[in-house]
Amino acid sequence: LDNRRIPVNEEERRSRVGPIPYFGANGIQGCIDDFLFDEPLILMAEDGGNFEQFATRPIAYQISGKSWVNNHAHVLRAACGFDQQFVFYSLEHKDVTPFIKGGTRSKLNQFELRQIEILTPPLPKQRKIASILTTVDSLIEQTEALIEKYRRVKQGMMADLLSRGVDSDGKLRPTQQQAPELYKQSELGWIPRQWDVDQLNGVLDRIIDYRGKTPTKTETGVPLITAKNVRMGFIDAEPREFINERDYETWMTRGIPRKGDVLFTTEA
């Protein structure tokens, strides 16, 4: 349904804010005051998609209800005799890189999109497979909601524990407003009287800081971790890059990372 797409620039959208979601290549881009579609649809990135990271990041997503779609996403509806959920799951993490046109911005043109092949079992099988995957997606969403809840709880606990500490009974100290005699002023604000303030340099055993030209990437070898792999609290293996053993030995001249070391990105 690409012929029904209409792009609206950001400046115009600011003057047309409304309740209708405005979608682009990888999800909602804002809201607008009118709609182009009002049905369940599959959107698949035309440009700016996660084509190279298809295994870990979706290249297609589903929408329903009233919506507006710009020209950075293909708009798909399953034909009669095919289950739309099944078609979506067949595309969500599909490797379409052979169909991508190069240039400054990778693009999946409509002509190439139409050439992509998917398996099509009989319709009852499509529906059964889609039902199973929908159930799994629902469980994932519930789990992610629970993880986000505990992440917020942890953030709150960290804020309290790292600014107030615990008493001799292992309980959280009262706040400075509740017990001012337990606190003192410092460069970082109010802190417990028994605590000190130190520069980070004074509490670290070592800092391995390499600045220079990145070694040539290879297909296999020693895994290369860059700022793109560092996430909040964990390392994401994608994008997966490598350097050869020789470059590793000459590159890491300031020390080799050990298990338990903290990675801190120096740039976004």
Side-chain angles (χ1 to χ4, degrees):
L1 308 175
D2 286 2
N3 62 318
R4 290 170 54 185
R5 303 175 302 179
I6 300 178
V8 182
N9 64 48
E10 189 174 353
E11 182 178 355
E12 183 180 348
R13 291 207 310 274
R14 283 198 293 266
S15 66
R16 296 183 55 187
V17 175
I20 308 300
Y22 179 90
F23 293 98
N26 299 306
I28 188 168
Q29 303 293 306
C31 293
I32 200 167
D33 59 359
D34 201 357
F35 64 93
L36 302 175
F37 306 97
D38 188 8
E39 60 179 301
L41 295 166
I42 301 167
L43 300 190
M44 190 167 180
E46 178 172 348
D47 53 47
N50 306 313
F51 302 124
E52 297 293 337
Q53 293 85 44
F54 68 91
T56 56
R57 302 180 66 185
I59 64 168
Y61 61 99
Q62 298 184 93
I63 63 172
S64 62
K66 295 179 179 179
S67 61
W68 190 296
V69 182
N70 68 20
N71 59 343
H72 295 294
H74 294 294
V75 185
L76 313 178
R77 180 205 294 147
C80 181
F82 299 92
D83 184 82
Q84 182 144 304
Q85 289 284 100
F86 177 84
V87 175
F88 163 70
Y89 284 119
S90 298
L91 296 173
E92 185 182 21
H93 291 286
K94 188 170 182 62
D95 181 7
V96 298
T97 52
F99 301 91
I100 301 300
K101 294 298 183 182
T104 56
R105 189 174 175 88
S106 297
K107 188 167 185 176
L108 177 63
N109 292 319
Q110 187 180 138
F111 178 81
E112 281 73 27
L113 171 72
R114 292 177 179 274
Q115 312 309 310
I116 295 171
E117 295 182 337
I118 63 171
L119 296 173
T120 52
L123 185 57
K125 297 293 185 182
Q126 293 180 36
R127 289 171 175 163
K128 182 63 176 177
I129 291 169
S131 175
I132 293 170
L133 293 174
T134 299
T135 300
V136 174
D137 264 352
S138 178
L139 292 172
I140 290 172
E141 289 177 7
Q142 294 173 32
T143 302
E144 288 177 342
L146 192 60
I147 291 172
E148 181 57 30
K149 174 184 175 181
Y150 282 114
R151 181 177 288 116
R152 291 195 298 268
V153 170
K154 177 189 174 184
Q155 289 173 343
M157 290 177 63
M158 288 176 66
D160 288 336
L161 290 169
L162 296 176
S163 62
R164 292 159 57 185
V166 294
D167 60 22
S168 57
D169 296 325
K171 296 180 180 179
L172 187 66
R173 282 195 182 97
T175 64
Q176 189 273 335
Q177 292 82 3
Q178 294 169 331
E181 71 279 2
L182 299 179
Y183 293 84
K184 65 181 179 182
Q185 271 283 12
S186 75
E187 299 94 319
L188 298 179
W190 291 102
I191 64 173
R193 287 193 174 277
Q194 300 88 346
W195 291 19
D196 294 317
V197 174
D198 288 300
Q199 288 188 335
L200 191 58
N201 188 55
V203 300
L204 295 178
D205 175 57
R206 59 177 183 160
I207 302 175
I208 303 175
D209 184 17
Y210 175 83
R211 295 180 183 275
K213 185 177 179 181
T214 303
T216 302
K217 312 288 178 56
T218 58
E219 293 295 323
T220 60
V222 179
L224 177 65
I225 299 298
T226 71
K228 294 179 291 187
N229 301 99
V230 179
R231 299 290 182 264
M232 185 68 73
F234 69 98
I235 296 296
D236 187 351
E238 300 294 338
R240 189 177 295 276
E241 297 177 330
F242 301 89
I243 61 175
N244 63 44
E245 193 77 33
R246 185 189 69 258
D247 283 342
Y248 172 73
E249 293 173 355
T250 57
W251 190 40
M252 298 303 296
T253 56
R254 300 192 182 185
I256 304 299
R258 298 192 299 244
K259 182 178 180 180
D261 283 355
V262 176
L263 296 187
F264 195 101
T265 58
T266 59
E267 58 186 43

